[in-house]
Amino acid sequence: MPNKLLLQVAENKKLEAIATRNRFTRPIVDRYVAGRGVDEAWTATKALNKAGIDVSLDLLGESVHDLEQSKQATKEYQGAIENIRNRAPGSTVSVKLSQLGIMIDPQECANNLKALLNAAATNEATVEVDMEHSSVGRDTLAIFKSILPDHPTTRVAIQANMRQTPEDLLSFTDIKPRIRLVKGAFDETSAAALNSAEEVTEQYKYLARWALEHLPDPAFGTHDDKCIDVIKKRAAELGLGKQDFEFQMLYGVRRKLQDELVREGYRVRVYLPYGTQWYPYLMRRMAEKPANLLLFLRSLIGG
Ligand SMILES: Cc1cc2nc3c(=O)[nH]c(=O)nc-3n(C[C@H](O)[C@H](O)[C@H](O)COP(=O)(O)OP(=O)(O)OC[C@H]3O[C@@H](n4cnc5c(N)ncnc54)[C@H](O)[C@@H]3O)c2cc1C
């Protein structure tokens, strides 16, 4: 389970300011973040594409404080989408609706998302909607459902740890969604989410099997061998081809496993974050692997 304390630290603005200014954090940031600007992101993309791996570009930044910031993020994403066809066909972009303004004005956020979806349609690209904390989860799902009829290939992340998830999945009656199944990375109450790592992993396996049986082109965002084995086995039992679904992993995590899956013939996509606002993202990565925390704390003090 992600470390709860670290997930709370991820929200701390004072620590964010200290960590972001500290040049000693650079090596650990560089492991998880592909670059400060989009050009570095394209360079990292090129290297992954060469290894047979697709990417999903994520412009770092979440919970914007005014609509101007959300407009700016939308513009930057549009620029990235317009370059996909020339620079790395097959790439997608992953967006957080908090970055597009969902906490300020859900309608404006939906308009920003539609602008990205229209740009994606013109440029043969796909948009993936990340799932964030449950405080914005309901609105995120509602906006996703509202755009689905016009943009049915859009993908949405679905969190296995959330108690509401099975019901949410069954609520798609007309159009079956393309999902990215993840365990869930946010600090949630036990009323909203499953409590233990074991429970979450079992639920992930159950939902992964279900997704392979019922949903089009599912993606599985996990680095967990146990989950990956279940997915491979169930897909084979169902007679699915290795290209009929996708494994997704985070930039900087289990790179060798990514290559192994490609060699075995599976589709692999790496979620590739770039930008300067790396702090909350990086702290969630620290929370998933607390052994990393020591490295991060040492880097803060220049050790
Ligand atoms: C492509 C992708 C997109 C995602 N999108 C979302 C999203 O939209 N919303 C959301 O809530 N969550 C998202 N997540 C995060 C996810 O919810 C989990 O927190 C994260 O993937 C860790 O779970 P795991 O399935 O890899 O299993 P775990 O049991 O956490 O990890 C399995 C193994 O993977 C390795 N590992 C995992 N995490 C790390 C790390 N940070 N550093 C180093 N090694 C690590 C370790 O070897 C670990 O033993 C995403 C994850 C991926 C891969």
Side-chain angles (χ1 to χ4, degrees), residues 115-229:
L116 296 188
L117 291 165
N118 291 335
T122 317
N123 290 282
E124 295 165 29
T126 304
V127 174
E128 309 199 25
V129 178
D130 288 348
M131 189 56 71
E132 300 175 70
H133 187 264
S134 58
S135 52
V136 290
R138 297 289 89 202
D139 282 348
T140 300
L141 203 65
I143 291 179
F144 175 75
K145 282 184 170 171
S146 74
I147 59 86
L148 197 56
D150 289 334
H151 302 276
T153 58
T154 311
R155 207 181 272 291
V156 66
I158 294 285
Q159 297 156 327
N161 67 330
M162 300 306 290
R163 295 186 192 277
Q164 179 70 28
T165 285
E167 207 177 305
D168 285 344
L169 286 171
L170 292 175
S171 73
F172 288 92
T173 43
D174 297 339
I175 305 173
K176 299 289 176 205
R178 292 171 84 221
I179 69 163
R180 172 207 302 151
L181 185 64
V182 298
K183 284 189 182 174
F186 292 83
D187 181 27
E188 301 286 355
T189 63
S190 52
L194 300 174
N195 291 316
S196 73
E198 290 71 28
E199 273 182 295
V200 175
T201 301
E202 284 314 304
Q203 182 71 342
Y204 189 99
K205 291 182 196 166
Y206 171 79
L207 293 172
R209 290 191 201 97
W210 187 87
L212 285 165
E213 283 162 40
H214 295 96
L215 299 181
D217 188 22
F220 300 101
T222 183
H223 318 92
D224 185 339
D225 290 322
K226 296 185 290 297
C227 297
I228 291 170
D229 287 347

Side-chain angles (χ1 to χ4, degrees), residues 263-279:
R263 268 199 301 278
E264 289 170 30
Y266 293 102
R267 261 163 57 201
V268 178
R269 184 178 302 279
V270 161
Y271 184 100
L272 194 133
Y274 69 94
T276 52
Q277 294 176 49
W278 47 260
Y279 177 80

Side-chain angles (χ1 to χ4, degrees), residues 7 33 41 47 61 67 70 82 84 92 100 152 163-164 173 184 193-194 219 252 255 266 273 285 296:
L7 288 178
V33 176
L67 289 175
S70 70
E82 281 160 15
I84 282 180
T92 66
L100 300 192
R163 295 186 192 277
Q164 179 70 28
T173 43
L194 300 174
R255 183 67 189 81
Y266 293 102
R285 304 296 74 86
F296 182 71

